[in-house]
Amino acid sequence: MFNWAKQQLANVAGTQEPIYGPSAIKSVAEEAQTKPYTEITRDDLKWQAMESTCVETESFYLFADSGHIALAQVIYSNVAGIRTTCQFNSKVFSKDPSKPHLWCSTPLNNVEFSEDKTSFYADDCAVELSEDGNSYTIKSMNDERSIVNVKITKAAPGFKAGETGTTKFGTDLENPWGVMRHAFWPRCTVEGTITTPDGPIDFKGRALYSYAIQGMKPHHAAARWNFADFQGPNYSAILMEFTTPPSYGTTKVIVGGIVKDGEIVAAGCDMEALHTTVNNDAENEWPEPSHVKFVWSNKDKGGKPVEAVIEGSLGDRVDRVDVMAEVPGFVKKIVAGAAGTKPYIYQYSPKVTLKLKIGDEEISEEGQMFTEATFISEA
């Protein structure tokens, strides 16, 4: 009972949590031992709009054939059932290092969901799932600097790790006080434009869709994140890893997979995300990676081993995001109560080679990677 009371205080006040240890988390990797992944259906993409503390996101990463990279994202946040806010974020990365990226983050008003909760609406914003469940249209006019009008169509099946895609937090895991869940469409096509002050950008190309629920305060669920998205001519690879704070045993949870058009090659939780070389950022002392190694180790549907590696230099970072400078004021107040919380996201977009081995077949493919290293608090 005392632990529950401390958790409720942490939920409302944003305070640092007690040390519960690794027994207070059930990683989705436990499910993945018996069922590595599950193909997702329309039901998996329903907005939960939870009445308790949560951050729920639909994120679309766009890779234009022209070389432009962009993000379109809806964030639904609820703080302890007291206040709900929604934002539409768009970011168009500048191809010219001397010019700033275009970042737009706008509060949304009059939020509604479709009857089956698969589509999202607000003033001057709509993110709609098609009737056949295979595509999203994203339309946003809430910031005239970034008018988004794109369609993302699934080119390979989507998946979640294990049976449910969910990691649970709490001292009673049958009745968890927090959850983390991810579902992906790793390989999509995109068509349409984002109109900027310099004119419309044609985003015909490839895309990744990621749906995530953090059913607790983000800085309580994770101290660090690694994210990698590879898009090549024939294959796509996704990897998402978070490390919990010491309150949950500094536990690593990682999900991801390799897909090609029309097929999941392999997916699950047997992966690694390594920062092989780091340099301390003089501004905030975080160990910014300069070289990485991402490893996927799974089996295909026929039981053949699947091994994939992306390794090498990240090159110059494309951006360093001070999260506290970007988030709404109410989030800052909540996070400020957690000692040592200073979230930064380091973003990179190198051209890399995916080395893939399926059974005895070896494949090497060059492509575009977008990757993030996020540091929130000491792990």
Side-chain angles (χ1 to χ4, degrees):
M1 180 65 181
F2 181 56
N3 276 344
W4 178 88
K6 287 191 289 187
Q7 174 61 31
Q8 300 316 302
L9 175 63
N11 277 346
V12 176
T15 55
Q16 198 166 28
E17 291 195 293
I19 300 296
Y20 301 110
S23 63
I25 180 172
K26 183 181 180 183
S27 168
V28 68
E30 293 186 33
E31 295 180 4
Q33 289 176 3
T34 53
K35 186 173 186 179
Y37 69 91
T38 302
E39 289 191 18
I40 57 176
T41 66
R42 189 185 189 90
D43 283 348
D44 292 297
L45 303 177
K46 291 182 176 180
W47 286 89
Q48 299 302 302
M50 297 166 66
E51 295 183 2
S52 56
T53 296
C54 74
V55 178
E56 193 170 353
T57 59
E58 287 194 339
S59 304
F60 301 85
Y61 296 84
L62 315 180
F63 301 83
D65 292 340
S66 63
H68 283 96
I69 298 175
L71 164 72
Q73 180 184 61
V74 173
I75 301 181
Y76 177 100
S77 303
N78 188 327
V79 181
I82 298 169
R83 183 176 179 188
T84 299
T85 65
C86 295
Q87 299 271 133
F88 183 82
N89 296 333
S90 63
K91 185 171 187 176
V92 179
F93 291 89
S94 174
K95 292 173 68 177
D96 183 347
S98 68
K99 292 186 177 180
H101 307 303
L102 177 61
W103 165 253
C104 300
S105 182
T106 311
L108 298 176
N109 298 311
N110 299 315
V111 171
E112 295 181 353
F113 300 96
S114 60
E115 190 173 341
D116 68 354
K117 286 201 168 178
T118 60
S119 296
F120 174 97
Y121 303 96
D123 290 350
D124 296 321
C125 184
V127 179
E128 293 183 290
L129 181 64
S130 63
E131 215 165 294
D132 63 8
N134 289 327
S135 65
Y136 276 96
T137 54
I138 307 165
K139 296 184 178 182
S140 172
M141 297 178 61
N142 53 53
D143 192 317
E144 63 182 14
R145 296 172 302 156
S146 177
I147 298 173
V148 180
N149 184 7
V150 296
K151 180 181 179 181
I152 285 87
T153 302
K154 182 171 58 173
F159 69 85
K160 57 189 176 184
E163 187 75 42
T164 67
T166 303
T167 292
K168 299 177 181 179
F169 297 77
T171 50
D172 177 5
L173 291 168
E174 294 300 312
N175 300 284
W177 60 47
V179 295
M180 184 82 79
R181 177 176 174 267
H182 289 92
F184 306 104
W185 287 0
R187 189 169 177 84
C188 306
T189 59
V190 57
E191 57 185 309
T193 61
I194 297 179
T195 302
T196 73
D198 293 330
I201 300 173
D202 184 354
F203 265 92
K204 181 181 182 301
R206 299 208 171 275
L208 160 80
Y209 165 53
S210 172
Y211 171 59
I213 299 173
Q214 296 182 54
M216 58 195 298
K217 282 193 169 43
H219 56 286
H220 288 170
R224 299 188 179 188
W225 288 87
N226 282 302
F227 166 67
D229 174 24
F230 170 86
Q231 298 291 337
N234 300 296
Y235 291 89
S236 296
I238 172 72
L239 178 152
M240 184 81 81
E241 177 196 68
F242 68 90
T243 303
T244 71
S247 46
Y248 298 99
T250 314
T251 301
K252 286 189 176 184
V253 179
I254 188 166
V255 298
I258 308 287
V259 304
K260 62 180 182 180
D261 286 344
E263 180 184 341
I264 297 173
V265 178
C269 295
D270 292 329
M271 281 150 278
E272 277 189 297
L274 303 172
H275 296 178
T276 53
T277 307
V278 299
N279 300 304
N280 278 350
D281 185 339
E283 186 168 314
N284 54 44
E285 298 183 346
W286 286 127
E288 179 187 0
S290 61
H291 293 72
V292 295
K293 183 177 182 180
F294 298 128
V295 182
W296 292 258
S297 302
N298 300 104
K299 290 184 179 179
D300 69 6
K301 289 180 180 178
K304 287 187 291 187
V306 175
E307 299 281 342
V309 177
I310 293 174
E311 185 175 15
S313 170
L314 291 171
D316 294 334
R317 69 177 180 232
V318 295
D319 204 3
R320 178 185 59 190
V321 180
D322 177 355
V323 177
M324 297 302 286
E326 305 288 1
V327 298
F330 81 98
V331 175
K332 293 181 188 179
K333 291 178 183 176
I334 288 165
V335 175
T341 301
K342 49 175 184 178
Y344 278 80
I345 304 172
Y346 296 85
Q347 298 176 319
Y348 313 84
S349 60
K351 295 290 179 64
V352 297
T353 301
L354 174 73
K355 294 181 179 178
L356 176 63
K357 187 175 181 182
I358 305 172
D360 294 327
E361 182 186 8
E362 294 189 9
I363 300 155
S364 184
E365 181 165 293
E366 292 186 1
Q368 178 72 58
M369 182 169 72
F370 179 79
T371 182
E372 296 180 331
T374 301
F375 301 92
I376 301 172
S377 60
E378 294 297 337

